[in-house]
Amino acid sequence: FMLTQPRSVSESPGKTVTISCTRSNGSIDNNYVQWYQQRPGSAPTTVIYEDDQRPSGVPDRFSGSIDSSSNSASLIISGLKTEDEADYYCQSYETGVVFGGGTKLTVL
Amino acid sequence: QVQLQESGPGLVKPSETLSLTCTVSGGLITTYYWSWIRQPPGKGLEWIGYIFHSGTTNYNPSLKSRVTISIDTSRNQFSLKLRSVTAADTALYYCARLKYDLLWGDFDSWGQGTLVTVSS
């Protein structure tokens, strides 16, 4: 299966942005969805794991959700800050690990 | 706090074998699953495969014919071999720890990544 993300999104500081991740076949509920943030020159770090769980140290401005009707997952970032500008990847599992293609978030 | 560190040649010739090692410190390699992930310059993440301490492996179908991941529990290391490389294998290679608890979780620890260039 594939995980499809928008290539880019942009929003203003203080606003809320939603990044979608749509599973091509099989149910989005089959396995957990994770979200990673990758800043330039750095390794990815988890911002959401197990669909909607936030690791310690990740601000509560970051949240995750699953929508079975659209077979998709979403990463929601509220109160956008310029430091949130990064690439975001969703990831899940079936017979192996699958990453989405990544979304470049611009905060302008 | 577990730490991962990749090591290996930064330049490999076409048709040869890419070999990398990941050293795990601050935790035992006999728990969790351990994985290799790569990222071509300017592109997204691609999962290569994972290994458990028992030796159980799982590979990306698109790379399976060329990949071997092995583990050395005595040295707390795991390794990647990718055969018959081409320029398309040029990428930043990461090792990472993969969580599993009834269902698959996230890659919760990553190495800093090592750039491997395939060129003659």
Side-chain angles (χ1 to χ4, degrees):
Chain A
F1 71 97
M2 293 173 50
L3 295 171
T4 300
Q5 302 178 231
R7 297 201 71 161
S8 64
V9 295
S10 60
E11 191 48 272
S12 303
K15 301 290 190 180
T16 297
V17 70
T18 299
I19 299 173
S20 62
C21 172
T22 302
R23 180 165 171 151
S24 60
N25 52 61
S27 174
I28 195 73
D29 296 322
N30 280 359
N31 279 280
Y32 289 130
V33 175
Q34 278 67 233
W35 290 91
Y36 302 92
Q37 177 191 69
Q38 186 179 34
R39 294 192 173 104
S42 296
T45 60
T46 304
V47 290
I48 294 292
Y49 69 98
E50 295 179 5
D51 296 342
D52 57 7
Q53 300 300 302
R54 223 175 18 256
S56 60
V58 173
D60 60 6
R61 302 184 296 104
F62 289 80
S63 61
S65 66
I66 297 293
D67 182 355
S68 299
S69 64
S70 60
N71 214 34
S72 66
S74 293
L75 173 67
I76 305 106
I77 311 172
S78 60
L80 275 169
K81 300 185 176 185
T82 54
E83 68 203 47
D84 299 332
E85 190 163 288
D87 294 326
Y88 291 86
Y89 295 90
C90 60
Q91 173 256 310
S92 191
Y93 189 93
E94 190 65 38
T95 56
V97 174
V98 176
F99 285 100
T103 299
K104 181 176 182 59
L105 169 63
T106 302
V107 182
L108 38 64
Chain B
Q1 175 99 1
V2 69
Q3 292 187 316
L4 293 82
Q5 178 68 57
E6 305 90 350
S7 59
L11 181 65
V12 181
K13 290 183 168 56
S15 80
E16 295 190 346
T17 297
L18 179 160
S19 296
L20 296 174
T21 295
C22 182
T23 301
V24 179
S25 59
L28 290 177
I29 204 168
T30 51
T31 53
Y32 296 95
Y33 285 74
W34 304 93
S35 194
W36 289 97
I37 296 157
R38 70 180 184 179
Q39 185 171 36
K43 296 189 177 180
L45 302 169
E46 180 180 31
W47 172 68
I48 299 171
Y50 66 64
I51 190 165
F52 194 52
H53 69 85
S54 62
T56 298
T57 55
N58 189 13
Y59 301 131
N60 186 323
S62 68
L63 298 169
K64 186 174 184 176
S65 64
R66 297 193 293 129
V67 171
T68 300
I69 297 176
S70 58
I71 194 164
D72 185 339
T73 55
S74 65
R75 295 186 175 187
N76 242 34
Q77 294 177 331
F78 63 105
S79 298
L80 169 69
K81 290 190 184 300
L82 181 64
R83 297 175 290 276
S84 304
V85 297
T86 70
D89 295 309
T90 292
L92 189 58
Y93 284 77
Y94 292 102
C95 58
R97 185 174 79 172
L98 175 60
K99 290 185 337 193
Y100 177 80
D101 184 8
L102 299 181
L103 287 176
W104 292 98
D106 65 316
F107 295 99
D108 68 342
S109 295
W110 296 65
Q112 65 186 24
T114 187
L115 179 64
V116 179
T117 302
V118 178
S119 175
S120 54

